[in-house]
Amino acid sequence: KRITDASAYKANLQMLREIANNGDRWKTDGLSSLAFRIVDQETDTTDTESFGITYHHVRVHRGGQPFDLHGIQLAVPIGLCQDSASGASSSGAVSVATLGSSIPYDIASLRSMAIKILQEAGGSCSKFFSQSLSFLLVDRRSNAAKILSDGDPRLLIVFYRSLKVPHEDALIIADARGPDELRKAMETAGAFVSPAPPMSLCTAKLKSHGPKYSIQQSDTCVQDGWDKMKGGNFHWSGKPRPGLFPVTLCDNTKYWTQRIVKGDSCDKVWGGLKWSHTGTFWAARGKDFCVGSRVAAPKEELRFSRTLPQKDCSLSGEFGFEHDFTFSSVKETVTYTAVVVCVVRGAEGERRFFQGGEDCRNPDSELRAVFTARSLVAAAASDKKFCVERGSDGDTLREAGRCEGVQAFAFAVPAAQPGLAPARGPPSQRGLRICVDGEIGRDACSDDMLAFEAPSAADIVASVPHADSGGQGGPLLTLVEDAVA
């Protein structure tokens, strides 16, 4: 490539020569503020003998906080492949192991690890099923799960990256069913949601007669040079629904401008410019946002659409816009069969129970425990049900229906622990024992004290719906799938 700065080029050559001559510039040169943790590393000697080259592959995670994937739990039902229609054995026996020293970074490696765990626990799986296993990737901070299958090979890496404290935040569950069947089972159990994702209205400066406008699929303007418009957020659906209509984004790559049309297709030529289909979303009918177009501008680079958080996009003048249509944000209520409950100790020593949210991460409080529970509407008849009575000097945990005064929320936990098979790595732990006064531990509760055992990884696995799971209550996780335009 053409050298644009000769002096900088010469300086780079000088530094390169210093390194080649065994100089120690590398010890102090470069970035001093880049913080990361090495997650895994491996050595590849494929070319060592022929070319004298050894490759060192290092996987890192941004930030300086500890980040260890080895402790993530992988749960494998013992009857995994005995009945592919059920996805798990009716006995509920589960083998729970940690990923250990060999972290799987693709679905093939994860399948091999699941089969090994199954075999060590006395189970078996045919080659056909072992090569088609699906997995539920569960984020225990929210009980949200995604399906890992052959259709999205990068999802496992994305899942790892999303974790903060991997051994606490993550659970991976093996399942013999394909993604469509598994999705249907979760939807039938009332544990499937496809929330309306956010869009942002963005602007970028032009030398004259600007700005230009863009709709970007994020809660902020992610592209360089673009700024989010005040009030410029709305939610959309990736699929048609009653009361919604399609809106299509069309891009011109010559000037990187956008045209927005009502409908599901783009005109290949508009305003003397070529346009390509970028995506289609479904919006609600309404007048919260408007779309207008400028087709007759003297300069072709100024022919594009704009979207504003108002009911009329018309603007008179030579460089004005004609109003095209209006729309509103998609509104929906997402309900979950599972909830996250935390126990904290406040600054004055008082104990509090919270249902997820920022209260669980308050820096002024000590987080004592976090566990998964069912909402009362999804509880099984055999579940233990509790309510939290809010008080000025702390919270009181009571049996559901016996709270007086201010009831903060209620929840349910399974009464029986499913079977746990022997597993390699650290032994599978039972759920935390939580006392009525918020104390945590096996020996913390007196014999006559109200207490319960928080759901463990095995409970979460046992709650995944299968053919003979009627009456067991709602799943202790919710399948969440992003809308796709």
Side-chain angles (χ1 to χ4, degrees):
K1 294 183 178 179
R2 183 168 60 89
I3 298 172
T4 58
D5 189 333
S7 60
Y9 179 67
K10 290 179 180 179
N12 286 339
L13 289 179
Q14 176 60 32
M15 288 187 286
L16 184 61
R17 284 192 288 268
E18 288 183 30
I19 294 173
N21 292 327
N22 295 321
D24 59 358
R25 170 183 288 274
W26 61 271
K27 295 181 179 179
T28 57
D29 206 3
L31 297 174
S32 62
S33 59
L34 180 62
F36 62 89
R37 285 274 181 162
I38 295 178
V39 177
D40 196 13
Q41 56 184 338
E42 58 187 27
T43 302
D44 182 355
T45 59
T46 303
D47 293 332
T48 302
E49 184 175 346
S50 300
F51 304 102
I53 300 174
T54 301
Y55 304 99
H56 298 276
H57 302 285
V58 180
R59 290 183 172 88
V60 302
H61 185 266
R62 182 181 302 172
Q65 298 299 317
F67 190 83
D68 186 3
L69 299 175
H70 301 86
I72 292 177
Q73 291 181 312
L74 171 58
V76 184
I78 302 304
L80 180 67
C81 301
Q82 294 173 2
D83 179 7
S84 63
S86 70
S89 67
S90 58
S91 67
V94 179
S95 183
V96 182
T98 59
L99 297 186
S101 58
S102 300
I103 307 298
Y105 291 102
D106 55 54
I107 191 169
S109 301
L110 191 59
R111 283 168 174 161
S112 296
M113 181 174 288
I115 296 305
K116 184 177 180 180
I117 294 172
L118 183 64
Q119 291 171 342
E120 291 179 355
S124 62
C125 197
S126 69
K127 185 176 180 181
F128 172 78
F129 280 124
S130 66
Q131 293 178 348
S132 60
L133 293 179
S134 300
F135 296 89
L136 286 167
L137 307 179
V138 186
D139 187 335
R140 298 188 68 175
R141 295 169 295 182
S142 61
N143 301 317
K146 290 183 178 294
I147 298 175
L148 174 66
S149 64
D150 292 307
D152 191 354
R154 280 192 51 79
L155 183 60
L156 182 59
I157 298 295
V158 173
F159 176 65
Y160 287 158
R161 288 177 174 173
S162 71
L163 305 172
K164 185 174 181 181
V165 185
H167 70 280
E168 295 179 358
D169 298 345
L171 172 64
I172 302 176
I173 304 172
D175 199 288
R177 292 167 290 186
D180 291 340
E181 188 179 357
L182 187 51
R183 185 181 300 108
K184 182 178 179 180
M186 294 294 288
E187 188 170 6
T188 301
F192 173 79
V193 297
S194 181
M199 284 273 201
S200 293
L201 306 183
C202 308
T203 61
K205 295 179 180 178
L206 293 176
K207 291 182 179 179
S208 62
H209 307 294
K212 62 179 179 179
Y213 302 83
S214 172
I215 295 181
Q216 298 183 16
Q217 186 179 331
S218 175
D219 58 359
T220 187
C221 299
V222 296
Q223 299 175 9
D224 291 339
W226 292 87
D227 300 310
K228 191 170 82 171
M229 195 182 302
K230 184 177 180 180
N233 270 124
F234 65 91
H235 289 82
W236 56 282
S237 172
K239 300 177 181 178
R241 299 179 187 177
L244 307 185
F245 67 94
V247 177
T248 296
L249 308 179
C250 317
D251 278 356
N252 171 258
T253 56
K254 182 177 181 180
Y255 299 109
W256 290 112
T257 49
Q258 192 174 77
R259 187 188 177 213
I260 302 155
V261 298
K262 188 175 183 179
D264 57 7
S265 63
C266 299
D267 294 329
K268 293 184 178 180
V269 178
W270 178 82
L273 295 170
K274 295 181 179 180
W275 300 86
S276 60
H277 182 281
T278 301
T280 297
F281 64 89
W282 275 259
R285 303 184 187 281
K287 296 184 178 181
D288 294 323
F289 299 90
C290 67
V291 175
S293 299
R294 184 163 59 191
V295 66
K299 297 180 179 180
E300 63 178 16
E301 63 265 32
L302 297 178
R303 298 168 190 168
F304 49 76
S305 298
R306 70 173 182 171
T307 305
L308 300 174
Q310 58 192 48
K311 63 181 180 181
D312 192 339
C313 271
S314 60
L315 179 66
S316 60
E318 185 180 13
F319 296 96
F321 288 81
E322 293 184 3
H323 176 79
D324 293 331
F325 64 94
T326 61
F327 67 91
S328 288
S329 180
V330 173
K331 297 180 175 63
E332 62 180 3
T333 301
V334 177
T335 57
Y336 296 88
T337 59
V339 296
V340 176
V341 180
C342 68
V343 185
V344 303
R345 178 181 291 156
E348 302 299 325
E350 74 279 11
R351 291 175 177 82
R352 297 288 187 186
F353 291 82
F354 294 107
Q355 187 173 312
E358 294 300 321
D359 291 317
C360 292
R361 297 179 290 274
N362 189 334
D364 296 327
S365 300
E366 176 192 356
L367 182 60
R368 300 281 291 143
V370 179
F371 60 91
T372 300
R374 289 191 179 105
S375 61
L376 289 189
V377 295
S382 60
D383 282 355
K384 292 183 176 181
K385 304 173 183 67
F386 301 92
C387 61
V388 175
E389 184 179 299
R390 192 75 81 211
S392 58
D393 56 351
D395 295 341
T396 302
L397 189 67
R398 301 186 187 279
E399 292 181 352
R402 295 189 176 184
C403 281
E404 302 175 355
V406 178
Q407 177 176 310
F409 62 96
F411 63 91
V413 294
Q417 291 284 325
L420 284 175
R424 61 183 178 81
S428 301
Q429 295 181 355
R430 297 171 63 188
L432 290 171
R433 187 163 180 78
I434 300 177
C435 314
V436 66
D437 60 356
E439 285 297 329
I440 313 296
R442 293 268 153 216
D443 302 322
C445 313
S446 60
D447 293 339
D448 59 347
M449 184 179 291
L450 182 65
F452 65 91
E453 198 162 282
S456 65
D459 287 297
I460 297 175
V461 178
S463 75
V464 176
H466 50 86
D468 55 357
S469 60
Q472 71 172 18
L476 287 165
L477 61 133
T478 301
L479 181 60
V480 179
E481 291 195 350
D482 299 327
V484 178

